[in-house]
Every structure is written in structure tokens, then in C-alpha cells.
Amino acid sequence: MSRFVSVSPLVNDGRQSNTIPVKKEASASLSDESPVTMDKPVCFIDTDSDGKLCVQQSALQILQQIQQPVVVVAVVGLYRTGKSYLMNRLAGKQTGFALGSTIESKTKGIWMWCVPHPTKAGTTLVLLDTEGFGDVKKGDPKHDTNIFCLAVLLSSTLVYNSRGTIDNKAIMELQFVTELTECIKVKSSDEDADDSTEFVKFFPSFIWAVRDFTLERKIDGKDVTEDEYLDFALKLEHGTSRRVMEYNFPRECIQKFFPSRKCFTFPFPTAPEKMSCLGSLDSADISSEFLKVTDRFCKFVFNDSSVKRLKEGYTVTGRVLGHLAKTYVDTISSGSVPCLENAVIAMAVIENEAAVKVGLQVYQSGMEKLKDSFPLELKAVSSKHQDLSSTATQAFMKRSFRDTEGEYLKSLEEKINELFNGYLCQNEQASKRRCEDLLSSLSAPMMEKLKQGLYAKPGGHDLFCKDLEDIGKKYNSQANKEVKAEEVLDEFLKQKSVDSKVILQADKKLTEKEKQIKEQNEKAVLLEQEIKTNKEKQRQLEEKMDTERQSNEERMRQMKEKMDEEMRLLKEEAERAMDSKLKEQADLLKTGFNEKAEMMSQEIEEFKKRSTEAETNRAKEFAATLENANRGHEETMDLMMQNHREQMMEIQEKNPLNGCCIM
């Protein structure tokens, strides 16, 4: 039955349903999903009584349920510029994020709205509406900077909303971009090092939305695109005056940190006095022309936005986004600078521990269902173990992140093997009970004869042996597939050998010499059965070793596949960053900033060197991980082989009469 987690009473305006499929944490199935509804935004990040930023637990609970990849679109800009209305439209609604008509800032902190992505199947769109910049009532001068940094760190697409034109004034209002190197660190080490060149690897794409744009988009009399207009506005000015340097600095930072940037203009005025009406569906003040443009803007954002990824290409889900937000906000509130490397390390621990649990749930759930059919042949149990072990590893791989030492995968492997051994024991116990019940049923007539003393007569021993042989034949035909068949029969024959000796000594038909011969034959039969029992144990051990060998091969294949994918993402990340730097250098040369372009050449070479070193180090880490995994497998196999050799020696020592007949 479906489970629904409702954030608030459902509001439906006839557009798309805001139902997000999420995976239940306790479920063992990889495809078991249940929907969560979020029909209006909730506060995501707020300020506590001490004025410090804090993440709202209710928002984290929503994100925790979203197992899909997320596309995160955040909007920033001056307060009272209509950001919230645009976000409502991106959510497919007219109402939701708070709108206001006064000069006061309506949105406080960061608000969140999660909806199914309209164009990317299996993906959730997370909209973040941020508190407007420039509200004079704010007490903390760093508050706006912190909000902007969080929007950059959490989003995959950052929309900067402004009005009028992109001129020096508008660019200077985006001064927060110049403070990013002081507010965000990539690595925890080398505190004095400038790692801003690494920002392009994980910074979001950038969209400048210009509201109330009334100018003609022409440069030197020629029509230009919106993106060309943005590039023109961001072009560095020549000169050495302090004023020119002030204007150039934000432009350089925007070009450097946001190489993937686009522009969208709303080519008509949006009357401020009508902003209060924008939330009403039946308002005549919302022109159809404006709705058409905002619809076009939504399509523009959807097409340009990609899934949120961490550095090195790790895909972010709603659950991971919540962990990231908590880590970044706690760091900022403590007075420290958010560090991407530390956040990733913390994320890796959380996700890898959870990945082990998910893998175990997948394995244990399947084996518990199989247990209902016990006892089964060892082959059937081993085959199911292999399938579930592979599926569990797949579930682990899907969620694990930066398990560079392979310790978490090894932990999963060890726990699965421990569970497997437990299920084997349970299967053996079930088999033993069935075999004992079968022998009890088959030997009931013989036990009755013993009670009545029917074997206590001349020729009684031969009659007893004949009955015992018949029981053995029937048992072998009915229990030949049981894992404990030989062992239970061995124990049964040892028990009956006591009765056999008593009957043999009482049989007056036999001479003493004949009794000795029969006694020796019985010992041979018992020894032969013990040998058969040990050989069956040996066969089962070899089958288990073969199962482990095949499981390891599959595990190694999945490990290598994931490592190859991570290497591919690492290379793509470096290539994107390099392309952006080359583009930035080309723009500098094109606009005549040859000296800056030359300085960038050194930066590019250093960047190439670091990227190559990173790829080499990661390749070495992967090779070491595979080697450690193989070494661990070899140690396990050696231990099993040692047990095998010990059993073989025991069999050989007990087999002096290797040619005797079997009952």
C-alpha cells in the first residue's frame, strides 16, 4: 500500500501535481517507492534567537525522503524585485512563495519547494527562494553574504534577479561574488593557498534575469543575443583608475567563477505597484504577455539546469542535499569558513555507512524469504546467496561515495558472509531435523522388533543387518539431496552398532570366528560411512569456495565499473574547468588584456599539473583498493583451503580399509 507524507493540505491549481516519488529507507527493494506530497514551500534555512543561521528540521525530513537526483535552482537578488513570483512560476504555480507589495522584505532566510522536474524524468526540482539583499533592517552585515554563499554551494543553477539594465551599478550590487574566495574553501589544508581556480568545478551555472528591460539589444548598431549582451556588459574596461578597477573586479570574479553563464531579459516593464496582484489567479492585472514571457523563462531555466553534483561528479539526491545544507550552515554559524573537502568527507562517512545498511537490508530481506523454504540443497542456497550478494553490492555502489580504501565494501562483504554462514547453519539444522524424522519413521518397525526381542534368536543378527540395510536403502533414495543426509545416517549407524553388538554376541548360530568377522565388517561399514560423510563435507566446502570465488569476481567487476565511472567524471570535470579557463583567456586576449592573459597562461599550466596529479593519485587509490580487495579474498580462500586440507588428512588417516563395501 502506498504511503503518503503530506507537508500541508493539498492545493491544486490545475497544473502538475507536486508528488515526488521517494524510496522508503526500510525497504529492501531497489525499486520500491512511495510518494511524498509537497504542495507549498517550507522554510529551509532560518535564523535562531541568537541571530545565527539554522536548518529547519521539518525541511530536512522532507529532503531525507527524496532518493532521486535533484536539480537545485536558487534565486538571489535585491529585495522587492519579484524573485518569489518567478520561483512560483518555476514550481508550476501562481501562489506559494510569499509575495509582498510593501517596501519590506517578505522572504526571510531561504525557503524550499520540491516538485517533480517537468522535463527530466526520475528527477526532483528543488527551488530555493532566498532572502532579498539590501534590507536595512538586518542586524548582521554578513547575513547577505552568508545567504549568497549558501545559494552558491547548494544550487546547480543560480538565478540572479535584477531590474533595468546590466550596468556598473547592477554589477556592483552583485558584490558578494567578490567575497567568495574568503567565504568558501575547497581544501582544508594550505589555508593560505588560493584555490579559487577550483571553484569552476562545482559552482552552479549562472543565469542573470533582467526584469523591466526596455532597451534595444544592439551593439554597434547590430542586434545581439541576450548572452552576447551579458558578455558585453561584463567586458573589462581599460584604464588604471581606482573607479575602473572597482568596476572590473566584480566582472573578473563573475567571469572566473561562473564560466557557464546566460542571460534572460523580460522585455517590458513590470509595474512595481502591480506586484501585489501577481499572486492572484483571476487578477486582470497580470497580462497574458507577461505570463508568456515567464513561461518562456521557465523553459529556459529547465533546459539550462543540470543535476546537482559535488566535486568529482558525485550525484546529489535530496537526502544528500539536506546533509550538505546542515554541514555548511553549522560551519557558518560556528564562525568558520565552509570547506567543500570537509563537507565531502563528512558526506562520505554518512553515505557509506548508510550504503552498508542498505546493502545488508537487500541481502537479508531476500534470504529471509528463502529461509521459509528450508531445507534446500546447498546449490540452491549458494545460488540465491550469489544473486542477493550481487544485488546488495549494486545497492551499496549506488549509494556509496569515495570509499577509496574499500573499507566499507569490505565491511559489507564480511557482514554478508557472516549472515550467509548463519543461513547455512539454519538450512543444515532444518535438513538435520528432516533426516532424523525420516530415519525415525523408517526405523520404527525395527525398533518395535527390538522391543519384542525378535532379534534375540539364532540367525537374529543376519535379520537385524538385513532390516538395517533396507532402512539405509530407503533413506538414501529419499534423502539423497539433503545437505545433512550422510552425517545423520553416520550418527544413526553408530547408534545402531551398539544394538548390533548385543544381538551379535547373543546369536548362538554363529561361531566365535564368524562373530569376529562380522564385527570387523561392521567396523568397515561404519568407517566407510564416516568417509562418505567427510567427503560430502569436503564437496560442500569446495562448492562454498566456488561460490565465494564467483561472488568475488562479480564484486570486483562492480568495483571496477564504479571506479571507471568515477575516473570518467573526474576527467570530465577537469576538462570543463579547463575549457572555461581557456575561454576566459581568449576573452582577455580579444579585449586587449594581454598582460592578464599571459598571467592566466601560468595559472592554466598550474591547473593542468594539479588536474593530472589528481587523476594519477585517484588511479593509484583505485589500484590499491582493488589490490586490497583481492588480497582479502585470497586470505579468505587460504583459510578455507586450510580447512579443506585438514579434512582431507583426517579422511586419509581414517581410511585404512579403503576397499571395504558400503552398506
Side-chain angles (χ1 to χ4, degrees):
M1 182 177 293
S2 295
R3 175 175 62 85
F4 291 85
V5 181
S6 182
V7 177
S8 58
L10 186 62
V11 177
N12 195 338
D13 65 351
R15 303 176 72 88
Q16 68 180 17
S17 168
N18 292 342
T19 300
I20 306 163
V22 297
K23 192 181 301 175
K24 290 182 288 188
E25 193 66 33
S27 172
S29 171
L30 292 177
S31 60
D32 185 20
E33 294 183 343
S34 57
V36 60
T37 60
M38 189 173 183
D39 53 275
K40 66 179 183 180
V42 298
C43 184
F44 184 23
I45 299 172
D46 202 357
T47 52
D48 58 20
S49 57
D50 296 332
K52 294 182 178 180
L53 292 172
C54 59
V55 180
Q56 298 300 297
Q57 190 62 34
S58 57
L60 288 179
Q61 289 174 352
I62 295 170
L63 290 174
Q64 182 66 27
Q65 299 173 80
I66 302 174
Q67 305 300 306
Q68 294 181 329
V70 291
V71 172
V72 188
V73 179
V75 63
V76 296
L78 295 177
Y79 79 107
R80 303 307 309 123
T81 55
K83 301 187 306 299
S84 297
Y85 175 73
L86 287 183
M87 298 303 275
N88 287 338
R89 296 293 290 156
L90 287 171
K93 303 288 184 178
Q94 293 287 351
T95 60
F97 288 111
L99 304 173
S101 58
T102 68
I103 59 173
E104 294 180 314
S105 174
K106 194 70 176 177
T107 302
K108 300 296 182 183
I110 299 178
W111 283 65
M112 176 188 79
W113 200 350
C114 304
V115 300
H117 198 286
T119 62
K120 291 181 174 66
T123 305
T124 296
L125 175 65
V126 179
L127 301 171
L128 301 181
D129 187 20
T130 67
E131 181 175 347
F133 303 145
D135 188 350
V136 295
K137 291 188 176 181
K138 295 175 186 176
D140 186 358
K142 291 186 177 180
H143 184 77
D144 285 350
T145 301
N146 291 336
I147 292 291
F148 180 76
C149 287
L150 286 171
V152 170
L153 288 167
L154 297 176
S155 67
S156 54
T157 295
L158 184 69
V159 179
Y160 178 62
N161 190 65
S162 69
R163 284 183 173 173
T165 60
I166 305 178
D167 53 16
N168 285 336
K169 180 176 180 297
I171 291 172
M172 293 304 291
E173 287 173 346
L174 191 54
Q175 60 178 322
F176 308 106
V177 75
T178 66
E179 302 173 32
L180 288 175
T181 54
E182 300 174 4
C183 301
I184 299 174
K185 286 187 66 64
V186 177
K187 297 181 179 180
S188 57
S189 58
D190 299 327
E191 294 185 1
D192 297 329
D194 179 13
D195 54 9
S196 61
T197 56
E198 298 285 321
F199 286 1
V200 294
K201 290 184 177 181
F202 64 92
F203 268 23
S205 59
F206 181 83
I207 297 176
W208 194 319
V210 187
R211 311 287 287 277
D212 304 342
F213 187 77
T214 57
L215 301 177
E216 290 185 89
R217 286 202 311 273
K218 289 188 175 183
I219 299 175
D220 296 332
K222 295 180 180 179
D223 292 333
V224 296
T225 66
E226 290 163 303
D227 292 345
E228 289 172 335
Y229 166 64
L230 176 61
D231 287 341
F232 176 78
L234 294 178
K235 187 165 63 174
L236 301 182
E237 298 181 13
H238 284 275
T240 57
S241 69
R242 181 177 179 181
R243 187 176 184 82
V244 169
M245 292 174 66
E246 286 178 351
Y247 288 150
N248 277 348
F249 188 48
R251 287 182 168 92
E252 287 184 80
C253 291
I254 294 171
Q255 291 176 0
K256 184 173 186 176
F257 299 147
F258 302 105
S260 176
R261 53 185 182 270
K262 294 182 179 295
C263 179
F264 188 95
T265 59
F266 292 78
F268 54 86
T270 305
E273 65 273 16
K274 294 183 180 180
M275 290 299 291
S276 61
C277 305
L278 291 177
S280 176
L281 280 171
D282 57 0
S283 173
D285 293 312
I286 303 179
S287 67
S288 60
E289 183 70 19
F290 185 73
L291 290 177
K292 287 180 183 178
V293 175
T294 53
D295 282 343
R296 186 167 64 86
F297 170 76
C298 291
K299 292 178 181 177
F300 178 81
V301 172
F302 295 149
N303 291 334
D304 189 64
S305 300
S306 59
V307 168
K308 172 69 176 175
R309 296 185 186 277
L310 292 181
K311 190 170 178 287
E312 299 179 13
Y314 181 68
T315 299
V316 174
T317 63
R319 178 192 65 251
V320 173
L321 182 67
H323 290 317
L324 283 174
K326 186 75 167 58
T327 300
Y328 291 141
V329 169
D330 288 349
T331 302
I332 290 173
S333 297
S334 70
S336 302
V337 176
C339 173
L340 185 71
E341 184 178 62
N342 290 344
V344 168
I345 291 172
M347 189 61 50
V349 172
I350 293 172
E351 288 300 287
N352 287 332
E353 289 177 349
V356 172
K357 291 180 181 178
V358 169
L360 285 176
Q361 286 170 355
V362 169
Y363 179 83
Q364 194 164 12
S365 176
M367 291 300 286
E368 283 295 314
K369 292 177 183 177
L370 183 70
K371 190 172 74 171
D372 294 336
S373 303
F374 285 175
L376 295 169
E377 290 184 71
L378 177 59
K379 186 176 182 180
V381 181
S382 298
S383 177
K384 190 64 176 179
H385 159 74
Q386 276 185 272
D387 291 342
L388 289 172
S389 179
S390 176
T391 306
T393 303
Q394 180 184 353
F396 170 85
M397 293 293 188
K398 186 175 181 181
R399 184 159 181 172
S400 67
F401 174 48
R402 291 194 71 180
D403 183 19
T404 51
E405 300 293 327
E407 58 178 306
Y408 292 97
L409 180 59
K410 183 179 180 182
S411 173
L412 174 65
E413 176 191 348
E414 290 173 348
K415 290 177 180 178
I416 284 178
N417 285 336
E418 184 178 339
L419 287 172
F420 179 45
N421 289 331
Y423 286 115
L424 286 178
C425 287
Q426 293 178 60
N427 186 59
E428 288 173 357
Q429 289 300 316
S431 177
K432 184 177 181 180
R433 286 192 297 269
R434 177 177 289 183
C435 291
E436 288 174 342
D437 291 344
L438 176 59
L439 275 175
S440 177
S441 175
L442 292 174
S443 63
M446 186 178 71
M447 296 302 294
E448 186 62 29
K449 289 181 181 180
L450 279 170
K451 288 181 181 179
Q452 294 178 8
L454 297 181
Y455 298 120
K457 60 182 181 179
H461 185 263
D462 287 339
L463 179 61
F464 178 81
C465 289
K466 178 67 170 58
D467 288 345
L468 193 60
E469 184 178 0
D470 289 342
I471 291 171
K473 287 179 180 179
K474 291 177 182 179
Y475 174 83
N476 286 330
S477 66
Q478 296 180 45
N480 64 330
K481 293 184 178 181
E482 293 291 340
V483 294
K484 284 293 185 178
E486 299 295 346
E487 187 175 323
V488 170
L489 180 58
D490 182 45
E491 186 62 31
F492 175 78
L493 292 178
K494 287 177 180 177
Q495 291 173 358
K496 296 308 164 199
S497 69
V498 177
D499 295 326
S500 178
K501 287 179 180 178
V502 173
I503 295 171
L504 179 62
Q505 293 304 319
D507 196 334
K508 297 180 180 180
K509 182 181 177 181
L510 301 172
T511 65
E512 287 301 318
K513 187 174 179 69
E514 288 174 330
K515 289 180 181 179
Q516 289 177 6
I517 292 172
K518 285 186 177 293
E519 192 172 325
Q520 288 298 319
N521 287 339
E522 285 186 11
K523 288 181 179 179
V525 168
L526 290 175
L527 179 58
E528 189 66 25
Q529 180 57 43
E530 186 175 355
I531 290 170
K532 287 177 66 177
T533 300
N534 286 333
K535 284 186 175 180
E536 175 59 19
K537 289 181 179 179
Q538 172 193 336
R539 187 195 67 78
Q540 291 179 11
L541 175 62
E542 290 173 349
E543 188 172 323
K544 186 178 178 183
M545 290 174 64
D546 188 58
T547 297
E548 171 59 26
R549 189 179 296 107
Q550 292 180 42
S551 295
N552 184 67
E553 289 174 358
E554 173 61 18
R555 189 162 49 246
M556 296 297 290
R557 185 194 67 77
Q558 292 189 31
M559 284 178 64
K560 189 174 185 309
E561 189 176 275
K562 176 159 188 175
M563 290 174 179
D564 288 344
E565 175 64 12
E566 289 187 6
M567 281 298 296
R568 183 185 66 80
L569 291 172
L570 186 66
K571 290 180 179 179
E572 286 184 356
E573 180 185 84
E575 287 171 0
R576 284 195 301 270
M578 180 58 66
D579 289 343
S580 69
K581 291 185 177 299
L582 292 173
K583 181 179 180 299
E584 183 182 351
Q585 185 184 45
D587 289 341
L588 288 172
L589 289 171
K590 186 177 179 181
T591 52
F593 287 88
N594 297 333
E595 186 176 344
K596 287 181 176 290
E598 181 60 30
M599 291 175 62
M600 272 211 71
S601 294
Q602 300 176 8
E603 184 180 309
I604 289 172
E605 288 304 315
E606 181 62 26
F607 182 81
K608 284 181 181 178
K609 180 181 177 182
R610 289 204 304 269
S611 296
T612 302
E613 288 177 352
E615 289 181 18
T616 302
N617 291 337
R618 181 52 60 88
K620 289 180 179 178
E621 286 178 355
F622 288 163
T625 300
L626 290 172
E627 184 180 348
N628 289 336
N630 267 323
R631 187 182 299 114
H633 168 69
E634 289 171 0
E635 290 173 357
T636 301
M637 296 299 286
D638 287 344
L639 181 60
M640 296 176 78
M641 283 298 296
Q642 178 62 28
N643 293 334
H644 170 72
R645 285 191 292 269
E646 290 175 0
Q647 286 191 8
M648 286 296 293
M649 289 177 64
E650 184 180 358
I651 290 171
Q652 291 172 2
E653 289 172 358
K654 289 186 176 183
N655 196 15
L657 303 174
N658 195 28
C660 64
C661 299
I662 301 175
M663 180 184 64

